[in-house]
Amino acid sequence: MASWSEFAADEPRLADGIRVLMQQYGPGFGYLATVRADGGPRVHPVSPVITDEGLFCFIIDSPKRRDLERDGRYALHSFPPEETDDEAYVAGHAHPVTDQARVARLAARAGAASQVDWRLFEFTVDVAMLSRRDSGSAGGPGEGHGRPAVQVWLDPHGGDRPADLTPVVPQARPARRGRRDVHRSAA
């Protein structure tokens, strides 16, 4: 499991593209998927905090927080932009941050209200994906929106990932270390 900082050092352009989509409306905004106690998925809107230190999220006392405390697996997807079908996605494990100085520093930066019952989680990155559409070929409603350019990064040290959780990326081209670039036509 790589930290956001490790991922960003390995793939700075990909990390920057994901950061831009997650923060396109100012503070971070995305959808967090967690694993319920019965194994089913749960999705919630959240405000991720991306800094040079890592990828974080302040989670209030809620079912999503209990999901992360019990089973740290998560997936985070960007909110869709108004003008494109671009999307960003990261997945990995969430861990509570226990260093109070770090919590205080990030709370001050993010404007997290101290009177709210929240807990800070740091999200590691096992998989990161950025999908961008060709800008010149957008059609009208119901028409193709151009050919997506998909970049996928897999943690090169994620060898303990179960085979059924390893993403299958068709038509992969060789890339640096843990990155794969994929170009698929719109279906």
Side-chain angles (χ1 to χ4, degrees), residues 12 17 24 28 43-44 47 51 55 67 82 88 100 127 129-130 138 142 157 159 162 182:
Q24 65 186 310
V43 179
H44 329 266
S47 295
T51 70
L55 171 59
D67 289 347
E82 291 182 22
Q100 291 306 308
V127 179
M129 187 272 308
L130 180 64
H157 305 293
V182 180

Side-chain angles (χ1 to χ4, degrees), residues 24-36:
Q24 65 186 310
Y25 298 105
F29 187 49
Y31 293 104
L32 175 68
T34 59
V35 181
R36 296 186 324 228

Side-chain angles (χ1 to χ4, degrees), residues 2-15 152-157 175-180:
S3 68
W4 174 269
S5 302
E6 291 167 334
F7 155 63
D10 192 37
E11 284 297 332
R13 288 178 28 168
L14 179 56
V152 175
W153 181 88
L154 303 175
D155 178 7
H157 305 293
R176 287 187 320 130
R177 293 171 67 182
R179 180 175 148 199
R180 296 182 186 182

